[in-house]
Amino acid sequence: MSHKQSIQRLLDKAQITINGTQPGDIQVHNEQLYGRVLAEGSLGLGESYMDGWWDSIQLDEFFAKVHTVQLDKDIVDKRLIVNAVKARVFNMQNKRLSKRVAQEHYNLDNDFYEKMLDPHMQYTCAYWKGVQTLEEAQEQKLELICRKLQLRKGDRILELGCGWGGFAQYAASKYGCSVVAHNISSEQVAFARRWCAGLPVEVVQGDYREATGEFDKVAAIGLTEHVGYKNYRTLMETAHSRLKPHGLFLLHTIANNASVTTSDPWFDKYIFPGGMLPSVAQLGAAMDGLLVMEDWHNFGPDYDKTLVAWKNNVDKHRDEFKSKFDERFHRMWRYYLLSLAGAFRARKIHLWQIVMSKQGVLGGYESVR
Amino acid sequence: MSHKQSIQRLLDKAQITINGTQPGDIQVHNEQLYGRVLAEGSLGLGESYMDGWWDSIQLDEFFAKVHTVQLDKDIVDKRLIVNAVKARVFNMQNKRLSKRVAQEHYNLDNDFYEKMLDPHMQYTCAYWKGVQTLEEAQEQKLELICRKLQLRKGDRILELGCGWGGFAQYAASKYGCSVVAHNISSEQVAFARRWCAGLPVEVVQGDYREATGEFDKVAAIGLTEHVGYKNYRTLMETAHSRLKPHGLFLLHTIANNASVTTSDPWFDKYIFPGGMLPSVAQLGAAMDGLLVMEDWHNFGPDYDKTLVAWKNNVDKHRDEFKSKFDERFHRMWRYYLLSLAGAFRARKIHLWQIVMSKQGVLGGYESVR
């Protein structure tokens, strides 16, 4: 059987046709694609897309179909094995190695992110319940977090990983809270400090493990994806030790249906070095006997919508970034956003908000949706 | 330091006074209590209560105070170690040993349970949101489960552990579903068959592991507390293998804040032989890569109210059961209900409803509260 036949047989399972015309079908421009994917797995699939060897009428739908029938499991990924060995032997997200994602991803270009994101500069899943635009959905997500954390005027909040400061700015200006936020990306820290000037927000350029002080609330919004499976317990311990006795901790993260100890090779190389998605089992072990699990909310399909909205914004502003980013970058970025969207659509990965308390909320914690 | 002084020192931490007059204070009728508790831990505390050696103005509040300061950790419990070794070496909840709890607890006396419980014969946590009576709260719990399972006319439901058939009766009569229910208690099975006569409900006297067939929905309401940590994965596999591709599984269970592999010695001996409460980590490992976690609801404080309502019913009907059950049984039962109520009040233990799907609900699962 030729390489093309092998690939076609796999794609048949997902009802994807080579050079077909349906959403999710692919157009192959270079016949070497088949051998490259068989040899290099997910890394080869992504790199050959960046190289322009293939396209899809609807790339997100291609990935939704692939994940629905778990096609990714059919191709053994050698690079994944290399990553697995590295992850077991080393702590790939220790304080030194953690900085890679800041340097390579978050420091990329604030202007570019401003065009891709909403006015609150939210680079995590929006909450689309009953609303239509990215801006509304991101503001609603911020509101959801504030209500879940039961924010009150004067609350001291510790934020672990704060992006460009959107949540800190919102909690301080709308709820009258003071915020200490930790972030290792110099570009984001500089942006957040400018944005939050005049508000009771302190932005610390430092690792989440270095947080000190005592707080009413702790939030980790989009941090957990970067800490690595060896450090989930450390993250929980950090939140626990910083919380006052009756404090609450909200953890917002992309998540995996099964426990893994590796990153996807393509994402690890091009998008999020050291990134890794936690499972229920892994976060459960990390909070075991330490924090009380009060509420666990899964709204993964909202990330599908969010990613598609970001992709539309990038397309809209593409010409403005022509001189900064070449065609290969643009294809890489589209592949990143739409392959993730497809994985959320297929429910292979999820978005969780978990509310935990230090001692258990007396009388019970009321879920907010 | 005398035994009494040792105990008083421990109780001081929880602000409990020997022979005091505040809720949670204790009255000691036999001074040998102190030595017995130090030697025998939780088993000695419970048995000495059954023997009438001590009382409390409010036994549930005594336990809430004890658990709030984690006093139970201060007394090393030898019996617990014996149970731990037994649990590691044997599967204490294999099909043969599982029958103990049916014979000793659930077969006890249907008349007695009818007086203690509500008209739906619900022997699990009620849902008190916005309602005042046990009957309303139990009906609301049934409704909550039906709505979370998105029951539709014609749905085939598998129930693993069905008590006296209250949920099966409700789902069949109110929602037009057909139910196959598994239970190992002969008394409960006989009761459920009479109750559900004329409805599309089949009550199987058999272990949950023996379930066959294909179903739209699976429910395990108050079963998990009996299956033991070695069998959590088997429970998830049973639900997974019985579900149709787009099926939902609702698991309703009492739960623990930390992973354990043993039972409390007093509860194991007198109330639930082989009983054990799962943690997030344990259930997470059991569902890993198998089922999609769609929603996780913690309403433990509602069990505090439920247990107190049961205790009030037992007190109200006490004279009717004088010839059947002696004073020692009555004290044992009160100790069972109120010590659990206190543990829920202190948020040491929890009540979880987890909704899982076989493949992930496309477009997302909407939480119901």
Side-chain angles (χ1 to χ4, degrees), chain B residues 101-124 134 163-164 185 187-188 191 226 270-273 309-310 313-314 317 320-321 324-325 329 332-333 336-337:
Chain B
V101 69
Q103 287 150 7
E104 296 175 25
H105 191 87
Y106 293 111
N107 287 355
L108 180 65
D109 188 312
N110 283 344
D111 292 344
F112 177 72
Y113 285 116
E114 280 189 83
K115 291 294 183 334
M116 180 171 92
L117 305 176
D118 68 300
H120 288 291
M121 291 293 275
Q122 289 301 296
Y123 196 20
T124 57
L134 179 65
W164 290 276
S185 157
E187 289 292 318
Q188 289 189 324
F191 188 105
H226 301 298
Y270 290 100
I271 308 296
F272 296 113
W310 290 345
N313 282 344
V314 169
H317 295 282
E320 300 162 44
F321 293 94
K324 253 183 195 162
F325 302 121
F329 175 89
M332 174 186 88
W333 207 261
Y336 148 45
L337 297 176

Side-chain angles (χ1 to χ4, degrees), chain B residues 41-250:
Chain B
S42 100
L43 187 65
L45 185 69
E47 289 186 333
S48 61
Y49 184 86
M50 290 161 65
D51 293 341
W53 287 18
W54 64 284
D55 274 298
S56 174
I57 297 172
Q58 219 185 307
L59 192 57
D60 44 346
E61 202 50 33
F62 167 79
F63 279 101
K65 288 182 171 181
V66 163
H67 288 305
T68 297
V69 296
Q70 306 192 311
L71 224 57
D72 49 327
K73 283 190 181 165
D74 290 335
I75 298 180
V76 177
D77 206 321
K78 285 171 204 154
R79 177 74 179 237
L80 203 60
I81 297 164
V82 174
N83 279 1
V85 172
K86 279 199 323 203
R88 290 232 167 79
V89 178
F90 307 107
N91 185 340
M92 296 303 290
Q93 298 82 9
N94 66 23
K95 289 186 192 176
R96 187 178 55 80
L97 288 172
S98 289
K99 296 204 172 101
R100 289 181 306 150
V101 69
Q103 287 150 7
E104 296 175 25
H105 191 87
Y106 293 111
N107 287 355
L108 180 65
D109 188 312
N110 283 344
D111 292 344
F112 177 72
Y113 285 116
E114 280 189 83
K115 291 294 183 334
M116 180 171 92
L117 305 176
D118 68 300
H120 288 291
M121 291 293 275
Q122 289 301 296
Y123 196 20
T124 57
C125 182
Y127 190 50
W128 295 83
K129 188 178 175 182
V131 298
Q132 300 298 322
T133 69
L134 179 65
E135 184 172 349
E136 291 169 312
Q138 288 294 14
E139 187 149 329
Q140 188 163 257
K141 185 266 306 282
L142 289 170
E143 205 46 54
L144 183 70
I145 292 172
C146 294
R147 282 162 56 222
K148 284 184 174 181
L149 280 174
Q150 303 177 346
L151 292 190
R152 280 175 216 138
K153 196 167 159 39
D155 270 357
R156 273 174 58 76
I157 306 172
L158 173 66
E159 196 185 2
L160 303 171
C162 69
W164 290 276
F167 169 74
Q169 196 275 341
Y170 192 87
S173 61
K174 293 256 167 149
Y175 282 83
C177 302
S178 64
V179 186
V180 175
H182 281 245
N183 192 335
I184 53 171
S185 157
S186 56
E187 289 292 318
Q188 289 189 324
V189 167
F191 188 105
R193 283 177 180 160
R194 284 194 304 274
W195 196 9
C196 296
L199 289 168
V201 174
E202 180 193 353
V203 185
V204 179
Q205 182 158 353
D207 192 276
Y208 65 96
R209 286 161 278 207
E210 293 161 4
T212 56
E214 209 184 27
F215 298 85
D216 302 289
K217 311 288 160 64
V218 174
I221 308 162
L223 171 78
T224 315
E225 298 89 328
H226 301 298
V227 308
Y229 80 103
K230 286 192 172 164
N231 305 302
Y232 296 146
R233 180 75 179 179
T234 304
L235 172 60
M236 297 288 184
E237 285 171 344
T238 302
H240 180 265
S241 63
R242 295 296 124 237
L243 274 179
K244 294 181 187 172
H246 296 290
L248 293 177
F249 172 34
L250 184 139

Side-chain angles (χ1 to χ4, degrees), chain A residues 164-234:
Chain A
W164 290 275
F167 169 73
Q169 196 274 342
Y170 192 88
S173 61
K174 294 256 169 152
Y175 281 84
C177 302
S178 63
V179 186
V180 176
H182 282 245
N183 193 334
I184 54 171
S185 158
S186 56
E187 290 291 318
Q188 290 189 323
V189 167
F191 188 105
R193 284 179 181 160
R194 284 195 303 274
W195 195 8
C196 296
L199 289 168
V201 173
E202 180 193 351
V203 185
V204 179
Q205 182 157 354
D207 192 276
Y208 66 97
R209 286 160 278 208
E210 292 160 5
T212 56
E214 209 184 26
F215 298 86
D216 302 289
K217 311 289 160 62
V218 175
I221 308 162
L223 171 77
T224 315
E225 298 90 327
H226 301 297
V227 309
Y229 80 104
K230 286 192 173 164
N231 305 303
Y232 297 146
R233 180 76 179 178
T234 304

